[in-house]
């Protein structure tokens, strides 16, 4: 079953705030998630490490639901990334 915008809050909660690495379809991505406006908006940028792919979005909490605003890409691409990306554990020095 494909993810939908109704799943957005759950999908966004899978990724940690700040910088992290994640695997998406066998590729490693650097993911930065920033929270703004007391948690009512956020920005996510994921860049394929060693490649050219990227995923970028803004999301806004309006009332009781999140609104997804992909940045120059399809909503489907963003939702697929959020649903399938597997966060990797952080390695502490």
């Amino acid at each position: 079953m494909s993810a939908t915008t109704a799943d957005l809050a759950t999908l966004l909660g899978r990724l940690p705030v700040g910088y992290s690495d994640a695997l998406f379809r066998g590729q490693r991505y650097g993911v930065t998630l920033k929270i703004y406006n007391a948690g009512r908006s956020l920005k996510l940028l994921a860049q394929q490490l060693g490649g050219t792919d990227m995923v970028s979005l803004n999301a806004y909490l309006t009332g009781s639901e999140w609104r997804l605003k992909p940045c120059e890409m399809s909503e489907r691409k963003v939702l697929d990334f959020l649903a399938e990306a597997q966060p990797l554990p952080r390695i502490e020095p």
Side-chain angles (χ1 to χ4, degrees), residues 19-36:
Y19 179 85
S20 63
D21 287 340
L23 285 180
F24 174 63
R25 298 182 178 170
Q27 300 295 316
R28 192 176 186 114
Y29 284 72
V31 182
T32 303
L33 177 63
K34 294 183 180 183
I35 305 294
Y36 300 96

Side-chain angles (χ1 to χ4, degrees), residues 73-88:
M73 63 193 59
S74 73
E75 188 173 278
R76 174 58 33 217
K77 179 177 180 174
V78 169
L79 289 171
D80 287 350
F81 180 84
L82 291 175
E84 297 174 33
Q86 297 298 314
L88 298 172

